[in-house]
């Protein structure tokens, strides 16, 4: 039995609310905010039966977030494997794996077909150009296809909505030789709007392998750098028709280490995504049709003594063409339907594993129906069929119910999911297994949300997830190991969180997740504790001591992780953050992370940064 190292300060808490706060909104019925991800047929918070958290631009700035994964640490139901910049980040939702979470940026599906299981790795994804992050939890394959067993993380970037030109810029420096900065140029003139963002980040170390638990001396500083660009442009061709282009590009360099010792290996990764969209909306806004074409490319090149002299190459390409339509009668019924064609390609040239080129395609169609049979009550049902060029067809479905009465909304959902094996798992010359099939899952939740103006908001969920046919790595296959398909896991737990503003100058927030995760053991012929962290949470207190000034004390805590043969211990880390707005155009900010220089590891043998201090300035004009 595991013991809890930190008791949450707030006992009654809940998942982050799925809406923006407004002093004039006293109930779910009165809210007109839009949630993009949770449903194709409905988008108002009072009608959404799924558990979803929304991270706003204001929250990103208050928490001084540079990398997206750091914002997710404070999100209920989400477990992140690292808080170190540039380090490999595994993002799990409700007991899922990293490859079972679908990432979208402005509608572009992200996923690297050259990775082991077509997963997106969020190591280098930054927050500088983001307007909003929506985290949708639970099986979503009926709407979003493969990779959405755990949920969907949808990122919406900033867009110019006011006439004229605006510039936003930020610069920061701090411990470990950290330099971080970026600038955005936004503009709008009549029917045309645009944004262009440039960013850069670097630090000098310390060692990626923790010298305190290393099996051999680990003193080398492991540097990391990143720079990139992103942008979007939109044109209102007519009152009913809009076109836009979105995209980003990033170039990164990371030092690598062995599990318990230094290594001279390095990796350079270049990735880009681009999409073109056309959106038609009828004059009465009842009918909307969206056509999207996108491409995501990730190219990784590994250097070191174990790789080819020119580097081991992995290059993955994901192309998607999607059509989505929605018709809302404004009354009893809303309908949504669509389809997509997705093609994945992997090119690999390596020293040990060999070379291969492979591709696979998937055609899909879905439909969703929303019913409003009574005041405050919304029912949705969705179904999807995917036709994979290798596995044939598989279907998924999902249903939700939401009932909003004044400041309270009750909700529940249930659905199934599927995850296709990756091209590497199938076709790698050394480790691949061409007989793998799609993984299956089912899961659901039940919960409630409360919204009392801008003074109190809360949400709570009980959830469960079952997975079968899981693909796993097994070292006993052949001479070098390989992939097999037999795994079964199950998870259930509670997501809790709270935001309370009892005084105009005081805000208290709390998130907490408890997850019981078990894996089936053939040897024992029963399910056994997998050793994953059972709890994680964040407690924060923010005060406004004077005009323009804001200070936050934050505690992040997590259970130990014994899911591998190398275990970590439970920990709690205290951070202090502050900012001061000099005027409407200039803001100073700074933070001290790990204030008491606590030794901890989020992943076994991986070094965290210790007590660190950073300071910077934001300007806008």
């Amino acid at each position: 039995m595991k013991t809890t190292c930190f008791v949450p300060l707030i006992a009654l808490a809940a998942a982050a609310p799925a809406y923006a706060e407004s002093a004039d909104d006293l109930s779910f019925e009165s809210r007109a905010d839009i949630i993009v991800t949770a449903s194709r047929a409905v988008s108002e918070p009072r009608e959404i039966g799924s558990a979803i958290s929304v991270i706003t631009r204001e929250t990103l700035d208050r928490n001084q977030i540079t990398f997206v994964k750091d914002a997710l640490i404070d999100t209920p139901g989400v477990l992140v494997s690292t808080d170190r910049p540039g380090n490999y980040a595994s993002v799990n939702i409700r007991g899922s794996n990293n490859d079972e979470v679908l990432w979208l940026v402005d509608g572009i599906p992200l996923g690297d077909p050259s990775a082991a299981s077509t997963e997106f790795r969020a190591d280098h994804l930054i927050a500088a150009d983001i307007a909003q992050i929506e985290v949708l939890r639970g099986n979503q394959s009926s709407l979003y296809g493969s990779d959405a067993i755990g949920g969907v993380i949808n990122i919406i970037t900033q867009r110019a909505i006011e006439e004229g030109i605006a510039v936003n810029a930020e610069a920061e420096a701090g411990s470990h030789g950290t330099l971080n900065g970026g600038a955005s140029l936004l503009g709008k003139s009549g029917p045309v709007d645009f944004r262009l963002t440039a960013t850069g980040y670097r630090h000098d170390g310390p060692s990626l392998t923790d010298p305190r638990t290393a099996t051999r001396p680990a003193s080398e500083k492991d540097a990391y750098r990143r720079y990139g660009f992103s942008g979007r442009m939109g044109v209102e061709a007519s009152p009913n028709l809009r076109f836009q282009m979105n995209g980003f590009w990033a170039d990164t360099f990371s030092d690598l280490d062995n599990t318990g010792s230094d290594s001279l290996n390095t990796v350079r990764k270049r990735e880009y995504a681009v999409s073109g969209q056309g959106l038609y909306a009828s004059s009465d806004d009842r009918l909307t049709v969206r056509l999207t074409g996108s491409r995501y490319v990730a190219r990784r090149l590994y250097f070191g003594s174990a790789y080819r002299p020119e580097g081991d190459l992995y290059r993955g390409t994901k192309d998607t063409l999607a059509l989505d339509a929605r018709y809302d009668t404004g009354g009893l019924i809303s309908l949504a339907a669509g389809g997509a064609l997705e093609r994945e390609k992997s090119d690999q040239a390596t020293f040990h594993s060999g070379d291969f080129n492979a591709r696979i395609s998937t055609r899909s169609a879905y439909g969703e129906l929303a019913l409003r049979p009574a005041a405050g009550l919304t029912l949705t049902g969705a179904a999807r069929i995917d036709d994979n060029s290798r596995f044939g067809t598989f279907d998924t479905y999902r249903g939700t119910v939401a009932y909003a009465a004044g400041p309270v909304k009750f909700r529940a959902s249930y659905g199934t999911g599927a995850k296709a094996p990756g091209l590497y798992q199938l076709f790698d010359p050394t480790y691949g297994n061409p007989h793998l099939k799609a993984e299956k899952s089912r899961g659901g939740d039940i919960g409630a949300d409360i919204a009392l103006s801008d003074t109190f908001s809360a949400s709570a969920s009980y959830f469960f997830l079952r997975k079968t046919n899981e693909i796993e790595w097994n070292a006993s296959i052949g001479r070098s190991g390989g992939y097999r398909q037999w795994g079964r896991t199950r998870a259930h737990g509670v997501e809790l969180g709270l935001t309370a503003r009892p005084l105009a100058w005081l805000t208290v927030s709390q998130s907490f997740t408890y997850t019981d995760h078990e894996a089936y053991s053939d040897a024992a012929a029963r399910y056994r504790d997998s050793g994953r962290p059972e709890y994680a949470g964040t407690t924060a207190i923010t005060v406004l001591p004077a005009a323009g000034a804001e200070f936050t004390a934050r505690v992040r805590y997590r259970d130990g992780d014994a899911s591998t043969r190398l275990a970590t211990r439970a920990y709690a880390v205290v951070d202090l953050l502050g900012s001061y707005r000099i005027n409407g155009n200039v803001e100073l900010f700074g933070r001290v992370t790990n204030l008491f220089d606590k030794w901890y590891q989020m992943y076994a043998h991986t070094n965290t940064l210790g007590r660190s201090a950073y300071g910077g300035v934001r300007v806008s004009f």
Side-chain angles (χ1 to χ4, degrees):
M1 176 68 69
K2 298 181 181 180
T3 59
T4 301
C5 76
F6 191 88
V7 178
L9 300 183
I10 308 297
L12 180 62
Y19 38 80
E21 300 291 352
S22 170
D24 297 325
D25 293 340
L26 301 179
S27 69
F28 279 95
E29 283 82 355
S30 65
R31 293 184 180 273
D33 310 301
I34 299 299
I35 303 298
V36 176
T37 320
S39 169
R40 304 282 194 176
V42 299
S43 57
E44 295 184 14
R46 65 184 175 85
E47 297 182 328
I48 292 173
S50 301
I52 186 168
S53 298
V54 175
I55 304 170
T56 64
R57 181 72 247 173
E58 179 185 11
T59 300
L60 295 173
D61 287 341
R62 174 179 294 122
N63 291 317
Q64 300 178 28
I65 299 296
T66 298
F67 293 89
V68 170
K69 62 182 176 61
D70 295 326
L72 300 175
I73 292 174
D74 305 322
T75 304
V78 180
L79 192 69
V80 182
S81 65
T82 182
D83 59 3
R84 176 168 171 148
N87 191 26
Y88 171 69
S90 176
V91 178
N92 307 326
I93 299 179
R94 291 183 169 180
S96 69
N97 298 317
N98 184 75
D99 61 346
E100 296 164 345
V101 176
L102 176 65
W103 290 74
L104 302 169
V105 173
D106 290 330
I108 306 172
L110 306 181
D112 181 2
S114 71
S117 57
T118 316
E119 60 187 323
F120 176 68
R121 298 177 178 176
D123 319 353
H124 316 297
L125 197 59
I126 57 148
D129 55 357
I130 292 175
Q132 180 169 294
I133 304 172
E134 298 178 355
V135 183
L136 177 61
R137 301 185 292 279
N139 270 311
Q140 308 299 330
S141 290
S142 61
L143 295 179
Y144 293 98
S146 185
D147 305 339
I149 285 177
V152 178
I153 298 174
N154 182 39
I155 294 172
I156 302 167
T157 63
Q158 294 175 327
R159 172 189 169 194
I161 58 176
E162 297 181 354
E163 290 287 327
I165 301 293
V167 176
N168 301 321
E170 179 177 317
E172 177 186 72
S175 300
H176 318 295
T178 297
L179 295 174
N180 176 37
S184 292
L185 177 67
L186 301 93
K188 187 176 188 304
S189 177
V192 179
D193 65 86
F194 72 91
R195 174 187 55 80
L196 180 63
T197 302
T199 56
Y201 179 95
R202 60 162 291 174
H203 72 232
D204 298 330
S207 171
L208 188 59
T209 293
D210 195 326
R212 288 162 288 194
T213 59
T215 55
R216 288 180 288 176
S219 58
E220 177 198 19
K221 287 187 176 182
D222 293 310
Y224 168 72
R225 66 153 178 81
R226 177 205 182 278
Y227 63 91
F229 302 92
S230 70
R232 64 185 298 167
M233 174 175 287
V235 178
E236 296 281 356
S238 74
N240 305 105
L241 188 61
R242 174 179 174 81
F243 298 99
Q244 70 177 24
M245 293 186 64
N246 312 288
F248 71 84
W249 177 89
D251 188 308
T252 64
F253 171 86
S254 305
D255 272 328
L256 302 176
D257 267 355
N258 297 322
T259 302
S261 64
D262 280 335
S263 166
L264 297 179
N265 297 338
T266 61
V267 58
R268 184 176 185 181
K269 180 179 181 180
R270 289 176 175 171
E271 59 184 327
Y272 73 85
V274 63
S275 75
Q277 297 178 340
L279 175 65
Y280 169 81
S282 63
S283 298
D284 58 5
D285 284 331
R286 290 191 173 189
L287 175 65
T288 58
V289 180
R290 183 188 302 270
L291 178 64
T292 304
S294 68
R295 165 169 285 194
Y296 171 73
V297 177
R299 181 181 185 272
R300 295 172 288 135
L301 201 57
Y302 293 84
F303 298 96
S305 58
Y307 305 116
R308 303 184 310 163
E310 64 272 33
D312 277 12
L313 171 68
Y314 299 84
R315 187 180 191 273
T317 303
K318 179 192 282 284
D319 293 322
T320 306
L321 180 65
L323 177 66
D324 302 289
R326 171 185 170 185
Y327 183 76
D328 189 346
T329 64
L332 176 63
I333 297 175
S334 291
L335 296 168
L341 173 62
E342 182 177 272
R343 292 179 177 174
E344 298 175 352
K345 180 182 177 183
S346 178
D347 298 300
Q348 174 180 310
T350 66
F351 179 72
H352 283 295
S353 189
D355 305 346
F356 81 91
N357 307 97
R359 63 186 64 199
I360 200 167
S361 63
T362 303
R363 296 177 296 175
S364 60
Y366 74 89
E368 183 180 18
L369 171 67
L371 298 176
R372 307 176 183 93
L377 178 63
T378 305
L379 309 174
T380 72
R384 182 186 185 97
I385 186 167
D386 289 89
D387 181 17
N388 187 280
S389 61
R390 182 167 185 86
F391 312 113
T393 61
F394 52 88
D395 57 83
T396 53
Y397 62 87
R398 177 176 173 82
T400 74
V401 57
Y403 177 69
V408 181
K409 180 183 72 173
F410 300 97
R411 52 178 167 74
S413 70
Y414 179 84
T416 61
K419 164 66 179 175
L423 293 173
Y424 182 92
Q425 293 171 327
L426 288 166
F427 302 122
D428 180 84
T430 302
Y431 308 114
N433 178 355
H435 304 295
L436 297 174
K437 303 296 183 183
E439 300 177 353
K440 300 288 187 178
S441 72
R442 57 186 176 89
D445 59 31
I446 185 170
D449 302 324
I450 302 173
L452 291 174
S453 183
D454 62 348
T455 61
F456 182 85
S457 60
S459 172
S461 301
Y462 167 80
F463 65 86
F464 71 93
L465 176 67
R466 304 286 187 270
K467 294 188 292 180
T468 58
N469 251 12
E470 284 194 277
I471 299 169
E472 69 158 21
W473 171 263
N474 188 280
S476 63
I477 297 176
R479 295 182 177 181
S480 306
Y483 291 97
R484 66 174 183 174
Q485 190 158 37
W486 68 277
R488 285 183 281 169
T489 59
R490 63 187 185 186
H492 68 94
V494 178
E495 299 162 347
L496 304 170
L498 164 72
T499 299
R501 189 173 293 116
L503 301 168
W505 53 269
L506 175 65
T507 300
V508 179
S509 64
Q510 172 72 57
S511 68
F512 186 79
T513 304
Y514 169 80
T515 306
D516 183 3
H517 189 276
E518 298 178 313
Y520 189 81
S521 168
D522 278 350
R526 63 184 179 89
Y527 283 92
R528 306 179 68 172
D529 184 4
S530 66
R532 286 192 179 191
E534 289 189 349
Y535 66 84
T538 301
T539 302
I541 299 175
T542 299
V543 298
L544 308 175
E550 179 177 285
F551 293 96
T552 298
R554 179 179 67 198
V555 183
R556 287 172 168 170
Y557 40 92
R558 195 170 97 169
D559 193 15
D561 186 347
S563 60
T564 68
R565 63 185 181 86
L566 305 171
T568 65
R569 295 185 293 182
Y571 67 85
V573 175
V574 178
D575 305 325
L576 295 180
L577 305 92
S579 65
Y580 179 71
R581 181 165 290 280
I582 298 175
N583 54 46
N585 303 105
V586 181
E587 181 183 30
L588 303 177
F589 64 90
R591 65 189 180 279
V592 178
T593 58
N594 197 358
L595 177 65
F596 300 110
D597 204 21
K598 174 80 172 183
W599 177 75
Y600 69 101
Q601 293 178 342
M602 298 183 72
Y603 191 80
H605 277 315
T606 302
N607 198 11
T608 48
L609 297 183
R611 181 167 50 236
S612 305
Y614 308 88
V617 59
R618 298 188 188 104
V619 297
S620 59
F621 54 88

